[in-house]
Amino acid sequence: MRVIEHPILDELKDQKKVTLYYNGEPVEAVEGEPVAAALMNAGIRVFRTTAKRHEPRGIFCAIGRCTDCMMIVDGIPNTRTCVTPVRDGMRVEKQEGLAPLKPQA
Amino acid sequence: MREIITDVAIVGAGSAGLSAAYQAASAGADVLVIDENARPGGQLFKQIHKFFGSKEHQAGTRGFVIGEQLLDKVEKSGAKVLLDSLVYGLLPDKSMGVISKGQNYSVKAKKIIIASGAKENYMAFPGSTLPGVMGAGAAQTMINVNRVLPGERILMVGSGNVGLIVSYQLMQAGAEVVGIVEGAPKIGGYGVHAGKIRRAGVPIYVGHTVERVFGKEEVEGAQIVAVDDKWNKIPGTEKTFDVDTVCLAVGLNPMTELVWMAGCQFDFIPSFGGHVPLHDENMETTVEGVYVAGDVTGVEEASSAMEEGNMAGVAAAEALGYLEHEEAERRKQEIRGRLNTLRSGMFGAGRRSAKEKQLEDMKSYLAAHKRTAAEQKEEVFFA
């Protein structure tokens, strides 16, 4: 949920809206915001599962340290979504365990 | 590999790093600040509350405004800030491995200032890994920088200043905070923050800890339990909350990886967050030419981080010959005075004695050993 009105910060406006695709489904996002923030705004909180016990993980530190929020972004696994800015048309997939590295073109 | 040569390289564009950059660059040094984030300012821009302290510390000014002023000063000083760039290693010859937008660089500097900050502590309990359990600082980033609410009903763990301030800011952003849990028998943070929280109707459960967090795929509820004076849980005192988010405000620890790599000596000071590098009054470590500033030297707060950054910046500029000794000493004297003011009073005195211990241990170390010249470490490093 977006924080639009705020008693201290300016009202949120004039943001450039773009679309990212989460597991193929369109999600509205703000250009340049972290992928993790866009997903959180859309109510998506499970970003990946662990390799051994397949437990769900989501955002923990939000500053690129803990790696709990890693997902497959534009085909690249283990991408820290809390420090990866959104671009229009970005493809974001939930990561199951240690996703295989795909050969880069 | 491309090479960048500079007088002073600073790791981290937060409160400490930017202050150091401003001081060294305005004295005439060639300064490069490197930060892995897309925007400079570190954690200043999520601080929307008014800062404490005296007028020199911009008391009454909100953190993000201080951040904007600092950025403006740095820009005018001529320091360069390299963003989206990660310092992944520090070699014994003081060259730094940096990856910037897919390119690998070797940065060679005469002086290095490490201002890498701190990260949030974790706390283990059943359910603590569920999505919806997150750092209080993470929640603060989400609401104040990204303008996204992490949840609607929140339980805060920890009643230090971070727990109190972030609880209040979560409410300002539109969330409901159902309570604050504190293991100790009394509230950890300032009375003025706790008062605001209580007036807003949020209960603070002192002498309680988290028993478990419920949920299958994400947080669906939380249970707390009272503890006795030996921290044993008291059966029958459990309370259950219908929450979707649990925030942990249980301290921070310094991000010292690069300082260890540089071969610096450390102290262990629990109140500073664990292992912290030894440094002298100039913020120089046991390795010549490697300085530290801010939370990486021991977790305090943004105002003291800025002053430590000022100190490191002045000292580095002096060592490079950009400041006369007398002028440098005059500036350091002022900075020391302001640091002592920050480290005084009911909450600051403990930090002051911890810092004094750290400085004393540095003196003892230097009395017994010579400061290492960075180059001499090479053999050991590659052995």
Side-chain angles (χ1 to χ4, degrees):
Chain A
M1 200 168 53
R2 242 356 123 179
V3 180
I4 308 283
E5 286 172 18
H6 195 283
I8 291 166
L9 298 169
D10 294 337
E11 192 188 317
L12 202 60
K13 51 189 173 193
D14 303 329
Q15 290 187 305
K16 190 177 172 198
K17 296 281 168 60
V18 295
T19 305
L20 64 77
Y21 295 88
Y22 168 71
N23 290 347
E25 297 292 318
V27 171
E28 189 188 81
V30 175
E31 189 175 56
E33 75 176 335
V35 170
L39 296 178
M40 183 174 257
N41 180 49
I44 299 159
R45 302 221 287 180
V46 181
F47 285 17
R48 68 177 181 103
T49 56
T50 58
K52 284 185 188 166
R53 290 160 61 173
H54 314 291
E55 291 173 351
R57 291 288 188 273
I59 297 166
F60 178 74
C61 81
I63 55 167
R65 293 273 70 84
C66 75
T67 68
D68 260 10
C69 70
M70 296 191 309
M71 301 177 84
I72 305 169
V73 176
D74 284 337
I76 301 172
N78 306 323
T79 303
R80 298 170 301 167
T81 55
C82 72
V83 289
T84 301
V86 167
R87 282 184 303 97
D88 195 26
M90 205 171 221
R91 289 170 297 116
V92 179
E93 295 161 67
K94 183 178 166 190
Q95 180 169 327
E96 306 289 351
L98 301 170
L101 272 171
K102 287 173 193 161
Q104 297 292 300
Chain B
M1 198 191 306
R2 288 201 233 171
E3 205 171 80
I4 299 174
I5 293 170
T6 181
D7 284 336
V8 182
I10 300 172
V11 184
S15 317
L18 289 177
S19 302
Y22 163 70
Q23 292 292 348
S26 52
D30 190 17
V31 176
L32 177 68
V33 189
I34 307 164
D35 194 292
E36 80 164 315
N37 294 286
R39 277 174 287 194
Q43 309 308 312
L44 273 174
F45 286 97
K46 67 188 192 189
Q47 313 297 338
I48 63 167
H49 57 282
K50 292 176 179 170
F51 275 34
F52 271 41
S54 57
K55 211 170 94 193
E56 300 87 82
H57 299 113
Q58 292 152 300
T61 308
R62 297 184 192 279
F64 66 95
V65 179
I66 295 174
E68 281 158 12
Q69 292 166 352
L70 189 54
L71 277 182
D72 189 46
K73 279 165 70 178
V74 169
E75 199 174 317
K76 287 180 182 142
S77 76
K80 290 188 281 293
V81 183
L82 190 63
L83 298 168
D84 282 317
S85 305
L86 178 77
V87 180
Y88 60 80
L90 187 52
L91 290 173
D93 67 352
K94 282 196 224 132
S95 69
M96 301 194 294
V98 176
I99 192 147
S100 178
K101 294 156 193 144
Q103 280 275 355
N104 207 1
Y105 295 88
S106 168
V107 174
K108 291 201 165 124
K110 293 177 189 134
K111 305 288 172 194
I112 290 172
I113 301 172
I114 302 174
S116 44
K119 62 182 184 296
E120 293 191 278
N121 286 342
Y122 188 61
M123 182 179 164
F125 44 78
S128 62
T129 58
L130 280 172
V133 177
M134 70 180 73
Q140 195 185 25
T141 302
M142 283 296 162
I143 51 174
N144 295 344
V145 179
N146 300 321
R147 304 288 289 265
V148 174
L149 266 184
E152 286 172 28
R153 291 174 54 80
I154 295 167
L155 180 69
M156 179 66 66
V157 182
S159 73
N161 282 331
V162 173
L164 297 174
I165 289 172
V166 175
S167 291
Y168 196 72
Q169 292 178 356
L170 281 162
M171 291 188 279
Q172 288 178 318
E176 184 185 348
V177 178
V178 303
I180 300 179
V181 186
E182 170 59 57
K186 63 182 177 66
I187 294 166
Y190 294 164
V192 59
H193 296 314
K196 270 180 125 172
I197 290 287
R198 283 193 153 149
R199 284 195 297 279
V202 178
I204 303 179
Y205 300 96
V206 294
H208 280 73
T209 192
V210 181
E211 172 78 6
R212 61 170 56 86
V213 166
F214 308 104
K216 194 165 175 286
E217 285 285 292
E218 50 188 274
V219 175
E220 291 166 24
Q223 189 176 58
I224 67 169
V225 62
V227 291
D228 64 21
D229 54 6
K230 292 194 178 66
W231 296 81
N232 295 311
K233 291 170 186 172
I234 305 170
T237 60
E238 293 85 359
K239 287 185 185 69
T240 303
F241 298 92
D242 172 22
V243 291
D244 54 34
T245 301
V246 175
C247 289
L248 304 181
V250 292
L252 297 109
N253 63 87
M255 293 204 279
T256 51
E257 293 87 344
L258 287 172
V259 192
W260 285 106
M261 269 191 100
C264 301
Q265 296 294 315
F266 278 74
D267 241 354
F268 186 77
I269 304 179
S271 66
F272 271 172
H275 283 102
V276 290
L278 295 179
H279 64 77
D280 62 14
E281 293 272 3
N282 286 331
M283 308 310 298
E284 192 171 7
T285 64
T286 55
V287 176
E288 196 191 329
V290 176
Y291 298 72
V292 284
D295 274 356
V296 71
T297 75
V299 176
E300 296 189 74
E301 33 71 51
S303 304
S304 48
M306 287 187 272
E307 295 299 356
E308 286 193 346
N310 285 332
M311 184 67 90
V314 167
E318 181 194 11
L320 289 169
Y322 288 106
L323 284 175
E324 296 290 334
H325 176 69
E326 270 179 25
E327 174 58 19
E329 206 41 56
R330 191 188 62 75
R331 293 188 193 183
K332 287 189 218 168
Q333 202 64 38
E334 282 178 11
I335 298 166
R336 264 196 292 275
R338 293 198 296 266
L339 273 170
N340 286 340
T341 313
L342 285 168
R343 292 175 183 139
S344 62
M346 193 167 61
F347 288 91
R351 290 189 280 117
R352 182 158 179 180
S353 59
K355 188 51 85 177
E356 276 165 4
K357 174 187 159 35
Q358 200 175 358
L359 290 167
E360 272 311 307
D361 290 348
M362 178 71 179
K363 274 187 201 154
S364 318
Y365 179 85
L366 286 184
H369 309 77
K370 266 188 74 175
R371 207 192 293 262
T372 327
E375 288 78 9
Q376 288 168 6
K377 293 293 288 180
E378 202 150 4
E379 250 174 274
V380 182
F381 197 83
F382 291 110

